[in-house]
Amino acid sequence: MPGLTIGDDLPNLEVETTNGKMKLHDYVGDSYTILFSHPGDFTPVCTTELGMMAAYANKFAERGVKLLGLSCDDVHSHKEWIKDIEAYNKGHKVTYPIIADLKRELIKQLNMVDPEETDSSGHKLPSRALHIVGPDKKIRLSFLYPATTGRNMDEVVRVVDSLQKAAKHKIATPANWKPGEPVVISPNVSTEQAKEMFPQGFDTANLPSGKSYLRFTNV
Amino acid sequence: MPGLTIGDDLPNLEVETTNGKMKLHDYVGDSYTILFSHPGDFTPVCTTELGMMAAYANKFAERGVKLLGLSCDDVHSHKEWIKDIEAYNKGHKVTYPIIADLKRELIKQLNMVDPEETDSSGHKLPSRALHIVGPDKKIRLSFLYPATTGRNMDEVVRVVDSLQKAAKHKIATPANWKPGEPVVISPNVSTEQAKEMFPQGFDTANLPSGKSYLRFTNV
């Protein structure tokens, strides 16, 4: 199935949300935005996920990241369901907008369809897709999870920290990296450049190939 | 960009690997398989990731999960680079095969292209894509990460556990779920059915809507 993938531009679609009509690019503005779909309102995993997003809203706000939910239910359903979400996830208000994609046009264009999940009328439902959109309106990173696997918001925070750090410095984050741990210097930075760019110093791993591409530093 | 997404069939391509030629479906067999790409050999994040995969190989083997790497470097390069990976990740041998996609045909068909990353000759490079393929040869779950963000193997293990549990029971795993924590009963299971299916019992959340869709149990 064709669809949006990493590096693609987020289409500037007009969407109906719990906070009114908007165009996607206007909402993103100059911020990183997390656009995430859920299969349906009044279903179990989704209730835990949208509540968890509300509980993590401060963490995302601190990082300048906006949230935007999406399913194929209507705005009235979303608003009624939010009462359940807030009751279950005590003290956490759902203030981010949730898109109502009644025509199922958006989920196709945004690569958020789960072909194995349909509603009682046989219509396609969204997967648990999550795209991190950059301030340049490009898809920077995506999770495509099925209906049975709730997402892990700690991993979402981790990758946001990685993306933002890599946008600021010539670095990348290694496997299993967590904030505060050393990062690696980008391979297109020469040793000479690295000395200038990273006055705090860096450690180069001693490898059998004799190549010096694995350089750790702290930023 | 068109590409493989959740629910699609893994194309049964013939591939050249560090362990010889194979057809993708033959390799998957009746197992879950983690097919993961990396931008290039002899680069920093990739060295930490493929080493981490080797370190986690036992965890995946315990779950009956096979590993399969991929980049656009040739088999000779992969084999030389494995010496660096094993030296850096002391004690962990890279025994899983790594595909050599010299023609860059696979990365297109497998939705593993990062349009922003090119090699010194201007050829496209793979992103850090990771597809979990089911025993039915379908894509069950995908991560699409950019070159600058190393994957988190703990999250990969977590979602494998979720997928395998959901394949066995009529359940799904809530947001931020970890093995051992309660799961939710699928919405298409009636209360009567749930009583039979889950003799260990379940707790139904009391919600403002009065609907009883949020039911927790342990499996």
Side-chain angles (χ1 to χ4, degrees):
Chain A
M1 172 181 296
L4 201 67
T5 191
I6 185 173
D8 286 348
D9 291 313
L10 177 74
N12 192 17
L13 304 165
E14 184 168 79
V15 297
E16 184 95 44
T17 83
T18 45
N19 294 7
K21 272 196 183 165
M22 54 172 74
K23 291 198 86 172
L24 288 180
H25 286 201
D26 292 339
Y27 185 71
V28 173
D30 296 322
S31 303
Y32 283 84
T33 301
I34 297 176
L35 172 58
F36 59 104
S37 57
H38 67 272
D41 295 355
F42 299 103
T43 59
V45 177
C46 308
T47 305
T48 67
E49 283 191 312
L50 274 81
M52 198 65 85
M53 270 297 188
Y56 277 59
N58 278 344
K59 286 184 206 267
F60 291 118
E62 281 165 15
R63 289 160 171 83
V65 175
K66 295 178 183 171
L67 303 176
L68 181 57
L70 182 156
S71 83
C72 298
D73 303 282
D74 64 26
V75 165
H76 175 73
S77 164
H78 286 337
K79 288 187 173 172
E80 287 301 306
W81 179 46
I82 285 173
K83 296 175 191 168
D84 280 4
I85 300 172
E86 293 181 347
Y88 179 68
N89 299 277
K90 295 166 196 78
H92 300 297
K93 293 282 172 199
V94 175
T95 55
Y96 54 80
I98 307 174
I99 297 172
D101 178 26
L102 293 180
K103 294 187 186 149
R104 288 158 165 81
E105 260 313 310
L106 301 176
I107 59 169
K108 284 180 211 152
Q109 290 199 48
L110 298 173
N111 196 20
M112 291 177 148
V113 176
D114 185 340
E116 297 188 3
E117 297 286 327
T118 49
D119 66 12
S120 52
S121 323
H123 293 120
K124 292 250 191 298
L125 287 175
S127 61
R128 300 191 191 285
L130 185 153
H131 300 309
I132 301 184
V133 182
D136 57 0
K137 280 81 173 176
K138 282 185 187 294
I139 306 294
R140 316 291 342 173
L141 188 150
S142 294
F143 297 81
L144 305 176
Y145 282 20
T148 51
T149 301
R151 283 156 289 193
N152 178 357
M153 304 318 164
D154 289 325
E155 178 64 5
V156 180
V157 173
R158 192 190 78 88
V159 299
V160 163
D161 283 339
S162 166
L163 291 172
Q164 292 187 334
K165 223 174 244 296
K168 217 164 142 186
H169 307 280
K170 285 275 198 185
I171 62 98
T173 60
N176 289 25
W177 175 84
K178 289 194 187 68
E181 294 179 356
V183 299
V184 296
I185 298 174
S186 299
N188 57 0
V189 173
S190 72
T191 308
E192 282 314 305
Q193 289 171 323
K195 283 178 189 163
E196 257 183 51
M197 278 181 192
F198 303 97
Q200 66 273 44
F202 55 89
D203 290 323
T204 306
N206 194 1
L207 300 170
S209 65
K211 298 180 181 183
S212 51
Y213 58 87
L214 187 50
R215 300 167 295 181
F216 289 91
T217 189
N218 289 289
V219 289
Chain B
M1 174 181 292
L4 202 67
T5 191
I6 186 173
D8 285 349
D9 291 314
L10 178 74
N12 192 16
L13 305 166
E14 185 168 79
V15 297
E16 185 95 43
T17 82
T18 45
N19 295 6
K21 271 196 182 167
M22 54 172 74
K23 291 198 84 171
L24 288 180
H25 286 200
D26 292 341
Y27 185 72
V28 172
D30 297 322
S31 303
Y32 283 84
T33 301
I34 297 175
L35 171 58
F36 59 102
S37 57
H38 67 271
D41 295 354
F42 299 103
T43 57
V45 177
C46 307
T47 304
T48 66
E49 283 192 311
L50 274 82
M52 197 64 86
M53 270 297 188
Y56 277 60
N58 278 345
K59 286 184 206 266
F60 291 118
E62 282 165 16
R63 290 162 171 81
V65 176
K66 295 179 183 170
L67 303 176
L68 182 56
L70 182 156
S71 83
C72 298
D73 302 282
D74 64 28
V75 165
H76 174 74
S77 163
H78 285 338
K79 288 185 173 173
E80 287 302 305
W81 179 46
I82 285 173
K83 297 175 191 168
D84 280 3
I85 300 173
E86 293 181 345
Y88 179 69
N89 299 275
K90 295 167 195 75
H92 300 297
K93 294 281 170 199
V94 176
T95 56
Y96 54 81
I98 307 174
I99 297 173
D101 178 26
L102 293 179
K103 294 187 185 149
R104 288 159 165 80
E105 260 312 310
L106 302 175
I107 59 168
K108 283 180 212 152
Q109 290 198 48
L110 298 173
N111 196 19
M112 290 175 148
V113 176
D114 185 340
E116 297 188 3
E117 297 286 328
T118 49
D119 66 13
S120 52
S121 322
H123 294 120
K124 290 250 191 300
L125 287 175
S127 60
R128 301 191 189 284
L130 185 153
H131 299 309
I132 302 184
V133 182
D136 57 359
K137 282 68 170 185
K138 282 184 187 295
I139 306 295
R140 318 291 340 173
L141 187 148
S142 295
F143 297 82
L144 305 176
Y145 283 20
T148 50
T149 302
R151 284 156 289 194
N152 178 357
M153 303 319 165
D154 289 325
E155 178 63 5
V156 180
V157 172
R158 191 189 79 87
V159 299
V160 163
D161 284 339
S162 166
L163 291 173
Q164 292 188 333
K165 221 174 246 295
K168 218 164 142 186
H169 307 278
K170 286 276 199 185
I171 62 96
T173 59
N176 288 25
W177 175 84
K178 289 195 188 69
E181 294 180 354
V183 299
V184 296
I185 298 174
S186 299
N188 57 0
V189 173
S190 71
T191 307
E192 283 314 304
Q193 289 170 323
K195 283 178 188 163
E196 259 184 49
M197 279 181 190
F198 303 97
Q200 66 274 44
F202 55 90
D203 290 322
T204 306
N206 195 1
L207 300 170
S209 65
K211 297 181 180 182
S212 52
Y213 59 86
L214 186 51
R215 299 167 298 180
F216 289 91
T217 189
N218 289 287
V219 290

